[in-house]
Amino acid sequence: MRGNNVMGIIFSNLHENLISQLTELRTMGAVPFGGRYRLIDFPLSNMVNSGINKVGVITKSNYQSLTDHLGAGKAWDLSRQRNGLFILPPFMDPADYANRVKTFNAIMPFLKNSSEEYVVISDCDVICNIDFQKVFEKHLENNADITVVYKRDQLPAKIQNPTVFSFDNKGRVNDVLVDPAISGSCSFYLNIMLIKRELLMELVNKCIGKNTMSFKRDIIQAEYKNLNMYGYEFKGFSPVITTVSDYFNANMSLKNPDVRADLFNSERPIYTKVRDDMPTKYGLGSKVSNSLIGNGCNIEGEVDNCVLFKGVHIGKGTKVSNCVIMQDTKVGANCNLSYVIVDKDVIIRDGKTLAGQPSYPVYISKLSVV
Amino acid sequence: MYPKQEVVAMLLAGGQGSRLGVLTQKLAKPAVPFGGKYRIIDFPLSNCVNSGIEAVGVLTQYQPLVLNEYIGSGQPWDLDSMNSGVRVLSPYQQIKGTDWYKGTANAIYQNINYIDRYNPDYVVILSGDHIYKMDYSKMIAFHKENNADCTIAVIDVPLAEASRFGIMNTNPDGSIYEFEEKPEHPKSTNASMGIYVFSWNKLRKYLIEDEDTVGSEHDFGKDVLPKMLDDGQRMFAYQFQGYWKDVGTIDSLWESNMDLLDPNVPLDLSDESWKIYSRNPVVPPQYIAESADVQNSMIADGCDISGSVDFSVLFSNVVVKPGAVVQDSIIMPGCVIEEGAVVQYAIVSENTVIGKNAVIGARPEDIEDKDKWGIAVIGDNLKIGAGAKVAPKEMIAKDIEEVK
């Protein structure tokens, strides 16, 4: 794919309402994940690792933390003379980005001015390490107009407008259901698609002309019969974040070595903004087990089954278990935390006890003092 | 046309560091990994940036590949500006012939052109083998205040150790009246830190003179500074307070890493106002398994720890398998310590595999003959076979076969 003919578009804003606490002060793509990443790092790194060197990032509101994170795209090798990273906020009116079809229409100049033949489209709600090169090869092999990436699994409970496919024996889509009442395993859309750029523009223009505004219903569902639409099954680790609980579980699943080997594949590394933290310090008398820990932490207490982000402090005599603690949060001495998601820059004073339940982790918002 | 820079820093990074043995076989001393994620050169480079110095020349000569690649465009230190930033300066061919850098002063002499284009008032000479955090702008302010020609940073060392250093004897006003190189009976405890500030017009003149002096070794300490003193130039000692360590030997390199684990040592790398920048590997966070026991250690991203780690510094991507023991040791990036291996008082260089049940080094209390004790050192990219034994103080440069 290098030197190539494919560009990327990432929707960093969609699905925010599903995890409204975590996205109160940031856009979906900027939600911290896995000890040092933000959700957008995954689609962005996947694109870069597949040889894509032009990526447009759609963002609608609350995007300061996203632009701070992305900068000029240096960390993803997207700070380039030719192509690179394009951040695409609404031109003037956020209503231009009211839905996916309108958004594509609003960025039509960007699409028009590009010369790449194909576009990979991705959201930030699926955490995975996918090789788009393989999707691309399949796409060419099938002589497809559109290749949709899907996963075979139970539908995530809170997923919005799930799109479920069925295929003929050659893998071509022969039915599309949007928001069906379905139980059991099915092939559902991961909001990742490979499409010809000009076809995308054409389909969007058609929708705008007819004032039909659902990308899933009016493009995928309405057009699959007229187009060569094929599926690509992604079988790797790929949780869909539709609830805070999903978010918590996806973080926790990183303790599994197979999941880490899959998601952090060293051939296709996940890039993120660099912070120049020192290595993590484990104090005398500290006790850490089965936990994923970012750089720059200072641990003097007990940490068990946790994900700690960069720069977290755990005081003496404190016990944290089954927690996700985001960057630079300071937990004082003699605290007791279990099943808690603590956002960034929180201060938890000495001697506090906070407990959630495995099915319902407690969430402490950014910059709180407890 | 280059915009004027008031200060240009010149970092001497060409030294082999032969006392570090296998650790500097393939790289120059300033590129030796330090402190879990840094290389030694990160300290002077970060000090420059944090002190507001924007033009830094790095003089390389011995094994420059790793160092060149590491410095790259200078971006991690914010030294990739349009007209300034870091430049790697290696010896080059000239019309009159080809020379290596013959000495520290000659290395600067050969790069007068580089310095001149910034038309600086002051030049700071630094070396790439010390671990410290220092605000050079304060030293330059001191230099200006005294209207000095040369200012030498000094640190107070214990009298017993003073004979290992270059000692600056000063008048009450801080001006230097005498140098003593490693004196048997030191008159003071002001040891030179190898950090000099010069007024560029003066230094320029002395470098050109020194170049033509027959018999000169073209060295700052041996030739240029004594000559300036003899000529009655204004030379001052700038007293530095804080942590400073020359990491030119295995013992001092080991000690300085261990100092990071001691909360009483004033070398805080978490200080937001004086960050030490480095090139960061792209790796996931570290994972500490259920079977792990980590005490008083520093561990970097990408490590996977299932064994016991005690009083140690682990660089990125180190794997410590279940039942392995790492104590009082420094393990550089990408090493694997297999099941049951015991590593004590050792430095293991990059990407080396310590086989199952191998024993590397020993604790001093477990050795009867104290003269035989020392830090064991294992070179990079080696395979130490299962069950092999490496005695304390040994330095290993080749693979060791499995012992059955």
Side-chain angles (χ1 to χ4, degrees), chain A residues 282-287 298-302 313-320 331-336 349-352, chain B residues 263 295-296:
Chain A
Y282 296 83
L284 208 54
S286 68
K287 193 171 178 322
N298 194 346
I299 300 172
E300 295 182 279
E302 267 183 55
H313 286 210
I314 303 291
K316 266 204 163 54
T318 287
K319 263 190 180 172
V320 287
V331 183
N334 303 313
C335 295
N336 205 327
R349 297 214 194 280
D350 295 355
K352 297 288 181 288
Chain B
Q295 294 290 313
N296 202 36

Side-chain angles (χ1 to χ4, degrees), chain A residues 15 100-101 123 159-163 176 178 189 191 213-222:
Chain A
H15 320 287
R100 208 185 286 264
V101 172
D123 294 353
I159 192 168
Q160 278 174 320
N161 303 324
T163 309
V176 178
V178 177
Y189 182 41
N191 296 320
M213 290 297 165
S214 167
F215 191 82
K216 286 175 174 168
R217 290 184 192 279
D218 304 320
I219 291 183
I220 298 180
Q221 196 173 38

Side-chain angles (χ1 to χ4, degrees), chain A residues 34-37 74 254-255 260 264 269-271 274-295 304, chain B residues 35-38 75 260-261 269-270 275-278 280-290 292 294-301 304 311:
Chain A
R36 66 181 306 214
Y37 304 97
K74 180 79 198 166
L254 297 177
K255 294 179 299 184
R260 288 200 306 279
F264 303 128
I270 305 299
Y271 307 95
V274 160
R275 239 183 54 158
D276 283 292
D277 288 274
M278 64 183 287
T280 284
K281 258 186 158 171
Y282 296 83
L284 208 54
S286 68
K287 193 171 178 322
V288 179
S289 78
N290 198 23
S291 294
L292 196 73
I293 297 184
N295 262 354
D304 186 27
Chain B
K37 69 171 285 196
Y38 309 95
Q75 190 268 339
L260 293 172
L261 304 176
L269 300 183
S270 64
K275 267 198 177 183
I276 303 301
Y277 301 94
S278 65
N280 285 264
V282 179
V283 291
Q286 53 205 281
Y287 175 71
I288 311 293
E290 198 143 15
V294 180
Q295 294 290 313
N296 202 36
S297 292
M298 243 168 75
I299 299 182
D301 276 349
D304 190 336
F311 281 86

Side-chain angles (χ1 to χ4, degrees), chain A residues 151-155 164 182-188:
Chain A
K151 178 179 182 176
R152 240 193 116 65
D153 200 355
Q154 301 262 358
L155 272 183
V164 175
I182 249 180
S183 60
S185 201
C186 62
S187 302
F188 66 91

